[in-house]
Amino acid sequence: MTLVGICGGGLSEQAELTRSLVAALRARDKSVSVIAYAGASTEIDIPGKDSYEHRRAGAREVLAVSRLRWALVHESDPPARPEMAELLARLDPVDVVLAPGFENAADVSLDLNGEDGAMHATHAGQAETAFQLDRTEQITDFILSPPPEKNP
C-alpha cells in the first residue's frame, strides 16, 4: 500500500487533485481509499438522524449501515486527531491511500504550494520533482513508480 500525503494550497485544490487522482488510479485498475481531514469541528453525522442522536446520547461509536455502504463514527475522548497508523489499520488493504490534509509519514508527498500552478512531489523524502497540477497522468505515473534508488 502506498500512502500519498497531499498538503499545501487550499482545501479546494487538495480536494480537486484527490478526486482526479482517484479517477486516474481507478482507470489503471488500482484500488484506492481516501483519508480526508474534515477539520476539528466538522460534524460528520447528520443532526436529527438516529445515528447522530445515539452518539449525542453517549455512544462512543455508532456504525450506520445500509445495503450500499456503512460508516463508523467514533468519538475521540479526549479529542485528538488519530495517528496515521491507527487510521490505516481501519482500512481494507488497497493499492493507494490518498490523504489530503496529512503530510507526515507518507510514502509519496504532494505539496501544492508551488508557484504558477506547480506542485512538488517526493518519494519518501528524496529529491523533489515538479509537476503542473493539471498533469494528473504524470502525477499518477510518479505515485505508481518505485522510489529512486538512494546513492550510497
Side-chain angles (χ1 to χ4, degrees):
M1 176 169 37
T2 301
L3 175 61
V4 179
I6 302 171
C7 64
L11 295 177
S12 62
E13 287 176 305
Q14 289 179 15
E16 184 177 332
L17 177 61
T18 300
R19 283 190 298 274
S20 52
L21 287 173
V22 168
L25 289 160
R26 291 296 300 135
R28 296 184 190 196
D29 288 329
K30 299 297 179 187
S31 55
V32 184
S33 289
V34 176
I35 297 175
Y37 182 63
S41 62
T42 299
E43 187 59 63
I44 295 170
D45 207 358
I46 300 170
K49 293 291 186 181
D50 289 342
S51 56
Y52 175 88
E53 298 303 330
H54 298 322
R55 187 175 50 79
R56 288 220 13 186
R60 180 163 180 147
E61 291 186 325
V62 176
L63 188 59
V65 180
S66 76
R67 290 181 305 130
L68 299 176
R69 62 190 57 90
W70 61 270
L72 176 64
V73 179
H74 173 90
E75 283 295 305
S76 296
D77 187 27
R81 184 164 144 172
E83 295 294 323
M84 182 57 72
E86 180 183 346
L87 297 172
L88 291 172
R90 291 189 172 272
L91 294 177
D92 287 341
V94 293
D95 297 314
V96 178
V97 174
L98 300 172
F102 291 87
E103 51 193 279
N104 296 330
D107 302 307
V108 175
S109 295
L110 305 178
D111 184 350
L112 308 185
N113 282 331
E115 296 180 18
D116 299 325
M119 58 159 257
H120 298 280
T122 59
H123 268 288
Q126 295 185 11
E128 289 186 0
T129 302
F131 294 102
Q132 293 299 310
L133 281 173
D134 62 354
R135 304 293 181 165
T136 306
E137 291 303 318
Q138 289 177 348
I139 298 167
T140 303
D141 289 340
F142 182 83
I143 291 169
L144 296 176
S145 67
E149 293 290 325
K150 284 189 175 185
N151 292 330

